Amino acid sequence: MCGRYAATLPPEMMVELFNLLNQIDFPPRYNIAPTQPIAVIWEQSGRRTIQLVRWGFVPGWVKDPRAFSLLINARAETMAEKPSFRDAVRNARCIVPASGYYEWMKGKDGVRQPYYITMADDSPMVFAGLYSTWSGPDGEEVDTACIVTVEPNLEISSIYDRMPAMLQGEAVDLWLNTREIDTRAATQLALPLPPGSLKYHPVGKAVGRTDADGPELIRPLTEAKLAAEEVKPVKPRKVVGGGGQLDLF
């Protein structure tokens, strides 16, 4: 699952990093939640642009989005087979730039502790995503997107049984190239990162509120605060699990 993330890259850095034809003013966000606007990048006819869409995928064939449960994640292992996603896997792939994301670990006592996860070298994250444009009967259009997830790598298996599919290097260009990269090849790009690629630290539980935002949300908890929240250090497990599909909101 990926249900909360942060995106703090300056707009001009996004343009340079991803070779974009446009720029949008998107303020730093430290707690992006489902149904909120997210910045995604797609490529059409070789032209790469950044757009604001709603987080929560709605397939184009849906008659009434109000009666359809929005999908925030798509499992990489089955997305090419699911009616909701299979057309997007072939024709509407995007990337979702991020600075880091949050995941909650459930302790033996049932208490859930949030962790903030980033690249080990603090470089930007690039989530694999899918997008869709829903057209209404009166001509209105709504762009939506979801984040592709995979089984966790060694580090994240300590916390949760899914993680976002993150693209690096040439994989970013291949994922966006829907003209030449077909469904099978694209699916093979969505893989867990190698061990050692990520780092994480516990953060305060304020991130659980959708109205909370600001850099204080990603600050590590002190040892004293950790003790107060009864959190124990986690150790990576060697066995990773599959987890359940989809997370609705």
Side-chain angles (χ1 to χ4, degrees):
M1 165 180 179
C2 177
R4 296 290 177 86
Y5 73 96
T8 62
L9 294 175
E12 59 274 12
M13 182 181 294
M14 298 264 271
V15 172
E16 181 177 356
L17 186 62
F18 299 106
N19 193 27
L20 304 178
L21 294 177
N22 69 321
Q23 177 177 310
I24 58 174
D25 293 326
F26 191 65
R29 295 289 312 281
Y30 293 87
N31 189 21
I32 301 174
T35 74
Q36 295 178 355
I38 63 174
V40 307
I41 295 168
W42 61 58
E43 188 173 294
Q44 296 176 337
S45 301
R47 300 169 60 87
R48 191 175 295 184
T49 59
I50 185 168
Q51 311 289 340
L52 285 179
V53 306
R54 185 170 60 180
W55 187 7
F57 189 93
V58 179
W61 45 259
V62 170
K63 293 183 178 180
D64 184 1
R66 294 171 297 181
F68 185 81
S69 297
L70 303 186
L71 314 176
I72 67 171
N73 295 148
R75 286 177 60 101
E77 300 90 336
T78 58
M79 61 184 177
E81 306 165 3
K82 299 293 184 180
S84 294
F85 301 125
R86 61 190 176 198
D87 182 64
V89 176
R90 179 63 188 92
N91 301 303
R93 301 190 296 266
C94 64
I95 57 173
V96 184
S99 305
Y101 76 101
Y102 301 93
E103 198 53 85
W104 279 255
M105 185 187 73
K106 187 175 182 180
K108 294 181 180 180
D109 57 0
V111 176
R112 299 173 72 231
Q113 170 62 43
Y115 284 79
Y116 184 59
I117 303 163
T118 63
M119 300 298 294
D121 61 0
D122 293 318
S123 62
M125 290 178 164
V126 181
F127 300 153
L130 304 173
Y131 71 93
S132 174
T133 299
W134 179 84
S135 299
D138 297 323
E140 67 273 30
E141 292 187 344
V142 179
D143 293 325
T144 63
C146 66
I147 294 171
V148 176
T149 66
V150 294
E151 289 192 348
N153 68 354
L154 185 61
E155 299 97 85
I156 304 307
S157 68
S158 309
I159 301 175
Y160 201 71
D161 57 13
R162 301 294 292 177
M163 67 181 289
M166 301 183 205
L167 305 171
Q168 295 180 303
E170 185 185 17
V172 174
D173 298 327
L174 295 175
W175 179 262
L176 290 176
N177 185 0
T178 56
R179 294 177 301 166
E180 300 174 329
I181 305 302
D182 62 15
T183 295
R184 182 177 180 181
T187 301
Q188 294 174 349
L189 297 171
L191 300 171
L193 290 178
S197 300
L198 302 170
K199 62 182 179 180
Y200 56 83
H201 59 260
V203 295
K205 295 182 179 178
V207 71
R209 303 198 322 265
T210 58
D211 62 341
D213 203 357
E216 67 278 3
L217 296 179
I218 66 174
R219 292 173 186 157
L221 288 181
T222 64
E223 292 186 7
K225 289 182 178 179
L226 272 174
E229 297 197 18
E230 298 182 346
V231 177
K232 296 181 179 180
V234 296
K235 297 180 179 180
R237 299 193 300 264
K238 293 185 177 180
V239 178
V240 299
Q245 157 73 359
L246 137 59
D247 309 286
L248 305 178
F249 53 93

